[in-house]
Amino acid sequence: MHTWKVLIGGWALMCAAGCGHGEAVRREEPGEGLGVACARGDEGACGADESEEGTRTKGGTVSLRIWSLIAQGQFAEAQLLIAESTAAGLLTQQQATRMLERITLLNTRLGQIPATLQRVQDFPSQLRDFTLFQIKQQLERRDFTLATQAQLKLAEKLIEQQDRLMEKVK
């Protein structure tokens, strides 16, 4: 009878407390607290390597590390890791292409956009030599010493959406 009470008491204690690893297993989205909200720039992008809840896909940890490097602006390291991971088969070619495209976009300088877009009203010419990554950092830090918030947002939009904006101009 005494063993029965101990077992019931232990079971009740475990049910009330839950498992001890609950906090450690919770997966945070990459990009939180990394400077730029998400390296890819679109909603849910950092979780794009997972197709369903609980389904493990190729290169899960590696892809998270790469997205983290991209969000921190460490593009050379990210490109090296992409090349190594793709060669080792840890990343699919599609994942690698998506990551490299994002690095290219973040490295795009405002002065590299088409001249047609550089003629828009209130074009922030003082930001011509700044990359999208640097502009995003200024917005995040609320550093408006070089340009106003509106000019920074315009510069960000011109770089990120240049294809769509060029279609509108034509």
Side-chain angles (χ1 to χ4, degrees):
M1 183 76 163
H2 180 66
T3 308
W4 181 77
K5 288 181 181 179
V6 172
L7 288 175
I8 295 291
W11 177 78
L13 183 64
M14 287 177 57
C15 287
C19 62
H21 69 278
E23 289 299 313
V25 172
R26 185 182 306 151
R27 179 174 172 258
E28 287 187 26
E29 283 300 314
E32 288 183 19
L34 294 176
V36 178
C38 183
R40 285 211 14 230
D42 48 1
E43 292 299 317
C46 294
D49 298 331
E50 296 181 11
S51 55
E52 294 179 12
E53 185 68 31
T55 303
R56 189 170 183 170
T57 60
K58 199 172 195 179
T61 306
V62 172
S63 65
L64 293 177
R65 175 71 180 138
I66 293 169
W67 285 122
S68 175
L69 288 171
I70 293 171
Q72 294 170 9
Q74 299 175 4
F75 303 131
E77 293 88 352
Q79 288 173 325
L80 181 64
L81 190 54
I82 290 169
E84 291 174 353
S85 300
T86 304
L90 298 174
L91 281 180
T92 65
Q93 192 61 41
Q94 181 183 8
Q95 288 173 317
T97 302
R98 194 170 50 238
M99 291 171 178
L100 291 172
E101 286 172 354
R102 184 62 185 168
I103 289 172
T104 302
L105 182 63
L106 287 171
N107 271 328
T108 302
R109 298 189 183 283
L110 185 59
Q112 294 174 324
I113 65 172
T116 306
L117 294 178
Q118 291 184 29
R119 289 193 282 276
V120 299
Q121 186 177 3
D122 297 329
F123 180 78
S125 58
Q126 70 274 22
L127 298 173
R128 191 177 304 266
D129 294 327
F130 286 84
T131 64
L132 176 60
F133 181 76
Q134 293 168 327
I135 292 168
K136 283 181 174 280
Q137 282 187 322
Q138 288 178 9
L139 275 169
E140 187 175 290
R141 289 189 312 246
R142 303 184 72 64
D143 178 11
F144 306 124
T145 55
L146 293 174
T148 65
Q149 183 177 11
Q151 289 176 320
L152 289 170
K153 286 185 177 185
L154 175 64
E156 179 184 33
K157 181 179 180 179
L158 288 171
I159 295 172
E160 285 184 330
Q161 301 176 11
Q162 59 184 300
D163 294 334
R164 187 181 68 81
L165 294 171
M166 283 301 293
E167 288 176 7
K168 282 186 169 183
V169 173
K170 291 180 181 180

